[in-house]
Amino acid sequence: MIEVRGATFSYPSAKGEPKFLFEDLNLFIPRGGHVALMGPNGSGKSTLGKMIKGLLSPSSGQVLIAGHPLKTGEISPRVGYVFSNPENQIVSSVVEEDIAFGLENMGMDPSTIAIRVRECLGLVDMEDYRFHAPHLLSGGQQQKIVLAGVLAMESEVLVLDEPTSMLDLQDRRGMLDLLEKIHGEGGRTILHITHYFEEALRAQEFMYLDQGRISYYGPWEKFFSLELERDSLRVAFPPLLHLIQGLRERGHLIPPKVRSLEELKEFLLQSSTSGCTSF
Ligand SMILES: Nc1ncnc2c1ncn2[C@@H]1O[C@H](COP(=O)(O)OP(=O)(O)O)[C@@H](O)[C@H]1O
Ligand SMILES: [Mg+2]
């Protein structure tokens, strides 16, 4: 669904000499995939996201969305993109108009637009702000409005660049639940750029970008154990994972699907009553 083939990309440098960020970058995320992308600041995560949307074009190589190659400068209508800074993405002075904007451009009839705007505001828990001015809302509320606008477009691919960076803890959980729900409905391919490994755990697969190279792409459990082996710990892993790892080393067969404290508690309680584990 998302495919990058042999892409080369550089930003113009102050000295005029191009410094390549990506050289021969290759990536394939199948339809329906939900991938979390992490990596240090400046590793190229946002640039990759913008390349997938078509906001930036590689100087050689190709980006294909649903098998369709993007031409240089062509912005993909199949990709919904949420920037890390929502202010860059708000175009109207009233929330509902902002969400309707893309749909109006598609030529959708006004009554269908009104229904969809209300539905999407409901999804992000922002119905009460329908007639508010987006620029007077908090960063977190703006982030939700931008996401509602992107969801309204029903794009096949969602690229979310740190979509929770301005949200408080409760809203972050709400946003992650929403992403899981959207993914669970099927059909959508999601690339979620994040700084938090806790968030990455909610995706199916994990990708790590390092100085413009994909140094890992696969299940997060494997990344975690590789990092532990190498003792490199490039990511701040949640204490829960260290606890699970420690329990596994002591012979407790904790299944990979356990990724939250609640699930671990549930598993340990069940296995202690069924006598599968001993403390
Ligand atoms: N508009 C730009 N002009 C020049 N260099 C840029 C621009 N945007 C990003 N860069 C550089 O490209 C590299 C990758 O940036 P970015 O994709 O934003 O990384 P990340 O999102 O992983 O923090 C960084 O070294 C950054 O300084
Ligand atoms: Mg970034």
Side-chain angles (χ1 to χ4, degrees):
M1 174 50 97
I2 301 177
E3 198 171 354
V4 179
R5 283 191 201 153
T8 299
F9 181 85
S10 60
Y11 285 107
S13 80
K15 289 182 203 138
E17 297 242 322
K19 193 177 154 283
F20 288 107
L21 175 60
F22 300 134
E23 280 181 282
D24 192 23
L25 185 79
N26 293 287
L27 165 68
F28 180 71
I29 302 178
R31 177 183 292 271
H34 183 188
V35 178
L37 172 61
M38 292 187 79
N41 279 338
S43 56
K45 304 181 296 296
S46 297
T47 307
L48 177 58
K50 286 177 191 158
M51 233 165 64
I52 291 167
K53 172 69 184 160
L55 296 166
L56 297 170
S57 304
S59 51
S60 63
Q62 267 186 331
V63 175
L64 298 96
I65 305 296
H68 298 273
L70 289 184
K71 296 189 195 81
T72 302
E74 181 188 356
I75 294 173
S76 176
R78 294 186 169 81
V79 180
Y81 186 92
V82 176
F83 285 85
S84 45
N85 182 353
E87 270 182 15
N88 291 341
Q89 244 175 317
I90 287 173
V91 290
S92 306
S93 53
V94 180
V95 164
E96 70 165 4
E97 282 173 17
D98 197 78
I99 296 168
F101 181 77
L103 302 174
E104 280 164 1
N105 281 350
M106 280 163 65
M108 190 180 273
D109 76 273
S111 56
T112 317
I113 292 181
I115 294 170
R116 202 178 284 180
V117 166
R118 240 173 284 146
E119 270 171 15
C120 292
L121 278 174
L123 280 173
V124 296
D125 215 7
M126 288 291 284
E127 299 104 316
D128 296 348
Y129 294 87
R130 212 167 118 205
F131 303 114
H132 281 232
H135 68 279
L136 297 179
L137 300 178
S138 74
Q141 290 171 323
Q142 288 179 351
Q143 240 164 353
K144 292 204 220 173
I145 297 301
V146 172
L147 182 68
V150 166
L151 292 176
M153 301 292 289
E154 298 191 326
S155 319
E156 297 160 71
V157 176
L158 291 180
V159 176
L160 310 163
D161 194 347
E162 301 185 27
T164 65
S165 56
M166 295 187 181
L167 301 182
D168 61 28
L169 192 60
Q170 195 181 355
D171 276 350
R172 257 176 74 188
R173 287 204 186 116
M175 175 77 90
L176 295 174
D177 289 344
L178 176 61
L179 288 182
E180 231 166 54
K181 183 172 151 210
I182 292 164
H183 182 250
E185 283 167 2
R188 276 197 170 111
T189 309
I190 304 179
L191 180 67
H192 178 182
I193 301 170
T194 175
H195 262 308
Y196 305 102
F197 201 73
E198 284 95 335
E199 290 190 5
L201 286 176
R202 306 279 291 260
Q204 277 173 333
E205 288 206 287
F206 180 77
M207 188 184 298
Y208 194 80
L209 196 63
D210 208 351
Q211 295 182 24
R213 277 166 211 276
I214 296 168
S215 63
Y216 181 85
Y217 181 21
W220 59 265
E221 297 93 333
K222 198 166 153 209
F223 179 79
F224 177 60
S225 44
L226 281 173
E227 291 287 295
L228 283 187
E229 260 170 48
R230 283 199 211 111
D231 213 11
S232 47
L233 295 186
R234 291 171 290 177
V235 165
F237 293 108
L240 173 73
L241 286 190
H242 290 281
L243 175 63
I244 291 176
Q245 178 75 9
L247 288 168
R248 285 197 181 124
E249 281 165 11
R250 281 163 186 75
H252 299 282
L253 302 173
I254 298 167
K257 67 174 188 348
V258 173
R259 8 177 129 182
S260 70
L261 201 54
E262 269 309 302
E263 287 164 349
L264 179 63
K265 194 173 120 195
E266 197 55 36
F267 170 77
L268 291 175
L269 285 173
Q270 270 186 10
S271 41
S272 65
T273 48
S274 63
C276 295
T277 191
S278 59
F279 288 95

